[in-house]
Amino acid sequence: MKEQPIGFLDSGLGGLSVVREVKKILPRENIEYFADKQRQPYGEKSQSELIKFTLQIINFFLKKKIKICVIACNTATAASLKQAKEHFSIPIIGVIKPAVQDAIKKTSSKRIGVIATEFTTKNGAYPKEIKSIAPEIKVFSNFCPEFVSIVEAGKFTAPKTYEVAREYLKPLKDEQIDTLILGCTHYSFLKKIISDIMGPGVILIDPSVSTSLTLKEILIQKGISKEEGKSKENYYTTGLPEKVKKIAKIILSNDNFEIQKVKLEGLEQNI
Ligand code: DGL
């Protein structure tokens, strides 16, 4: 079982922020990564669509014999983690709970900001999770629709990205938060800009860091962590592999991997 891979899913490149962290602390694990690029952005989809996409991708992963699945997407976690756990018998983790636990530990003013996709923001997944642990905390949210396409285009520090980010972050700055959750895995790649704008008084919480630590704990606890040998990685997308690879190789600082095109049943009707 130790040799079996870990499956990571996202609508695109965002989940690579989780993979990047996992590779640092679990360098020997075998990885299967799924970027559902053709159906992006997930943030504009409905809950029933998102549940369908998640279950479909996990079914694909089961053929690859994954030992655990990481829903490396906040939107898919908010929409479908519960249903996915009910549906499959393998362990499945999302990115929201680990980020929330981290943020609650770090805030001293008890004023936490969350930036996320439209779906995650409107669904209220973050405030619900925070309030279930610490009801006294005030949560301020905003959604940042353009961030996903900015990251997919690799414009991590472009002047226009600063401009857009300033606008999205202003309401949160005005609320004088001391902790900001990057509630979409894509936003991890905009950390530099977000931190420049929010200033040194605001701690950024990156779910990719907290999730990779949670993943490591679970693998060790279950005795299924792979500690020997080289890691193998397989990448899949429903979109155009060359397009995904162009930015993925910058993110992963590696050129030595292939991305396979995958056709999922019924995909044409979903877009
Ligand atoms: N990266 C995903 C997340 O964490 C969503 C991006 C999208 O809208 O497709 O929410």
Side-chain angles (χ1 to χ4, degrees):
M1 184 142 191
K2 291 184 177 187
E3 294 295 318
Q4 289 175 237
I6 305 168
F8 296 85
L9 71 93
D10 183 47
S11 69
L13 299 169
L16 291 180
S17 62
V18 185
V19 168
R20 200 168 60 174
E21 292 305 317
V22 168
K23 281 161 70 79
K24 286 184 203 161
I25 60 168
L26 294 162
R28 302 191 184 277
E29 291 292 344
N30 293 325
I31 288 169
E32 302 283 310
Y33 186 86
F34 199 104
D36 194 6
K37 180 93 172 147
Q38 201 181 337
R39 299 189 286 202
Q40 196 181 62
Y42 274 12
E44 292 171 18
K45 299 291 186 293
S46 68
Q47 177 153 19
S48 56
E49 285 173 304
L50 291 163
I51 292 173
K52 189 171 146 197
F53 301 168
T54 303
L55 299 187
Q56 208 175 21
I57 297 168
I58 299 178
N59 264 319
F60 171 85
F61 275 153
L62 289 182
K63 294 188 201 115
K64 308 288 168 194
K65 305 255 181 297
I66 58 164
K67 60 183 172 188
I68 186 167
C69 177
V70 180
I71 303 185
C73 169
N74 291 261
T75 310
T77 299
S80 62
L81 176 63
K82 189 172 162 282
Q83 290 78 358
K85 283 177 145 197
E86 284 166 5
H87 203 272
F88 298 103
S89 57
I90 56 158
I92 300 174
I93 63 169
V95 284
I96 295 181
K97 201 171 191 170
V100 163
Q101 286 166 338
D102 199 11
I104 291 175
K105 268 188 231 147
K106 305 254 168 76
T107 181
S108 19
S109 72
K110 308 224 173 292
R111 297 174 74 80
I112 297 180
V114 182
I115 47 171
T117 64
E118 183 173 356
F119 181 90
T120 307
T121 306
K122 292 189 173 163
N123 165 280
Y126 269 101
K128 269 185 240 154
E129 191 74 39
I130 293 172
K131 299 249 176 224
S132 73
I133 306 174
E136 72 284 7
I137 291 180
K138 290 211 156 45
V139 186
F140 305 92
S141 311
N142 201 11
F143 58 92
C144 312
E146 276 184 74
F147 275 177
V148 171
S149 54
I150 283 172
V151 168
E152 292 286 327
K155 295 179 184 153
F156 307 129
T157 52
K160 176 85 175 85
T161 308
Y162 268 94
E163 222 176 275
V164 173
R166 250 185 227 104
E167 206 176 299
Y168 289 147
L169 296 170
K170 182 163 187 319
L172 298 171
K173 273 194 94 151
D174 292 348
E175 294 295 353
Q176 304 196 324
I177 55 166
D178 73 346
T179 305
L180 176 63
I181 300 176
L182 309 181
C184 168
T185 47
H186 280 78
Y187 303 176
S188 181
F189 303 117
L190 302 175
K191 242 190 233 170
K192 162 93 180 77
I193 284 193
I194 296 170
S195 145
D196 284 353
I197 297 172
M198 295 309 287
V202 176
I203 302 164
L204 301 188
I205 304 292
D206 183 346
S208 64
V209 177
S210 15
T211 304
S212 54
L213 294 170
T214 303
L215 173 67
K216 186 173 181 179
E217 263 171 45
I218 295 173
L219 294 179
I220 291 173
Q221 189 202 322
K222 292 189 178 294
I224 54 171
S225 155
K226 180 173 178 281
E227 278 138 24
E228 283 164 16
K230 271 192 161 181
S231 111
K232 278 187 240 118
E233 293 164 37
N234 290 309
Y235 294 86
Y236 310 94
T237 185
T238 49
L240 295 173
E242 321 77 65
K243 249 189 148 174
V244 178
K245 188 169 180 186
K246 193 171 160 220
I247 309 299
K249 67 183 189 189
I250 301 170
I251 290 172
L252 295 170
S253 316
N254 178 13
D255 197 2
N256 197 16
F257 63 93
E258 288 313 315
I259 303 187
Q260 292 171 47
K261 167 100 180 170
V262 171
K263 274 196 176 148
L264 292 179
E265 207 185 311
L267 188 66
E268 295 72 24
Q269 286 96 61
N270 296 323
I271 47 172

